[in-house]
Amino acid sequence: MMQVLPIQSDAPTKESPCPGRLIVLTGPSGVGKGTLMQEMLKRHPELYYSVSVTTRSPRPGEINGENYYFISRSKFEQLVEQGEFLEWAEFAGNYYGTPREAVLNQVQSGKLVVLEIELEGARQIRASFPSALSIFILPPSLNELESRIRGRAQDSEEAIARRLYRAQAEIQAADEFDVQIVNDDLETALQGIEATLFG
Ligand SMILES: Nc1ncnc2c1ncn2[C@@H]1O[C@H](COP(=O)(O)OP(=O)(O)OP(=O)(O)O)[C@@H](O)[C@H]1O
Ligand SMILES: Nc1nc2c(ncn2[C@@H]2O[C@H](COP(=O)(O)O)[C@@H](O)[C@H]2O)c(=O)[nH]1
């Protein structure tokens, strides 16, 4: 049976004197978090990327267990009741959550564990894990954000409108997080993340 770890504290313990660290990558939908993350994983394969659980339908090309674990709403609600998520939130009509056990095991084994999540979840992690490092990715402008979401061509008009509406409030929360990085030029943004993580 897998060990269940407490979520309240991320302080070192006798069992885990040198834990890893949680890294939160947040920012509005379409800003490029996933793109930045994929490139970071190529350059730094020692990072552990937490695959989230969602009730959203897979987009073309998305693979269960790789991009997300795709499950039903009723199953998600059951997992919430069972305390299986480190954080979870409803976003644009779907649930998203971070599997608790896998992430905590990786942190305790000394890994840098990256969560790519939306604002409400990022706030939950900051409250539960004050030593988590949080990075907020900003778009160069709202117009560019809209072009990126549209350019991705994977969301309905309704989903695009919901994401853009929410983006405006999300951007205002950027200062709550440790570091803010504008994803205008991809390479510059990547170097900003690398400098934040590795000094
Ligand atoms: N620096 C950049 N310049 C131009 N286009 C970019 C840049 N970064 C990402 N993109 C493009 O923007 C689109 C959205 O990127 P991506 O899917 O990575 O965003 P996201 O923040 O992960 O979105 P979501 O939160 O909805 O999953 C993609 O088509 C991607 O190729
Ligand atoms: N709170 C959480 N947010 C998550 C998680 N996994 C992804 N996300 C965020 O949801 C939105 C929408 O994602 P999309 O794939 O449908 O475009 C985006 O901001 C993701 O970062 C999670 O586990 N918890």
Side-chain angles (χ1 to χ4, degrees):
M1 192 154 75
M2 298 290 278
Q3 190 189 3
V4 177
L5 299 162
I7 64 165
Q8 287 84 1
S9 164
D10 53 359
T13 63
K14 231 191 266 172
E15 295 73 30
S16 180
C18 187
R21 196 171 188 195
L22 274 179
I23 312 294
V24 174
L25 196 62
T26 190
S29 174
V31 74
K33 302 183 297 296
T35 307
L36 291 163
M37 193 59 230
Q38 288 314 310
E39 194 51 40
M40 283 297 292
L41 286 171
K42 275 191 218 152
R43 295 183 186 192
H44 305 281
E46 73 277 15
L47 295 173
Y48 177 87
Y49 171 69
S50 164
V51 177
S52 295
V53 180
T54 185
T55 61
R56 170 167 77 60
S57 304
R59 294 177 179 140
E62 283 187 327
I63 297 168
N64 189 38
E66 207 171 287
N67 303 96
Y68 282 106
Y69 296 102
F70 296 98
I71 65 171
S72 66
R73 284 183 80 87
S74 59
K75 180 70 185 166
F76 193 101
E77 284 161 3
Q78 189 190 331
L79 294 177
V80 169
E81 294 228 329
Q82 291 169 352
E84 296 285 344
F85 294 121
L86 208 55
E87 62 71 37
W88 68 275
E90 188 160 13
F91 180 91
N94 292 298
Y95 291 136
Y96 296 82
T98 299
R100 172 181 162 179
E101 191 172 278
V103 164
L104 292 182
N105 283 338
Q106 292 295 328
V107 173
Q108 292 238 326
S109 73
K111 292 256 183 185
L112 284 185
V113 177
V114 187
L115 313 182
E116 185 211 316
I117 60 180
E118 54 68 64
L119 177 65
E120 292 308 323
R123 284 176 167 153
Q124 291 171 42
I125 295 293
R126 276 184 67 76
S128 305
F129 296 88
S131 72
L133 175 65
S134 56
I135 304 174
F136 194 99
I137 307 295
L138 286 157
S141 67
L142 274 175
N143 280 346
E144 173 63 17
L145 184 69
E146 179 167 357
S147 317
R148 287 185 191 173
I149 295 177
R150 290 190 182 283
R152 192 165 61 180
Q154 288 183 326
D155 298 295
S156 66
E157 260 319 301
E158 192 206 348
I160 291 171
R162 284 206 230 184
R163 283 164 190 253
L164 285 172
Y165 178 75
R166 184 154 172 162
Q168 297 179 42
E170 287 180 321
I171 288 168
Q172 285 176 12
D175 287 349
E176 292 175 25
F177 298 92
D178 297 319
V179 177
Q180 295 77 32
I181 292 175
V182 178
N183 181 22
D184 187 353
D185 172 62
L186 190 74
E187 181 56 35
T188 307
L190 281 165
Q191 286 175 14
I193 295 174
E194 285 178 318
T196 305
L197 296 193
F198 307 114

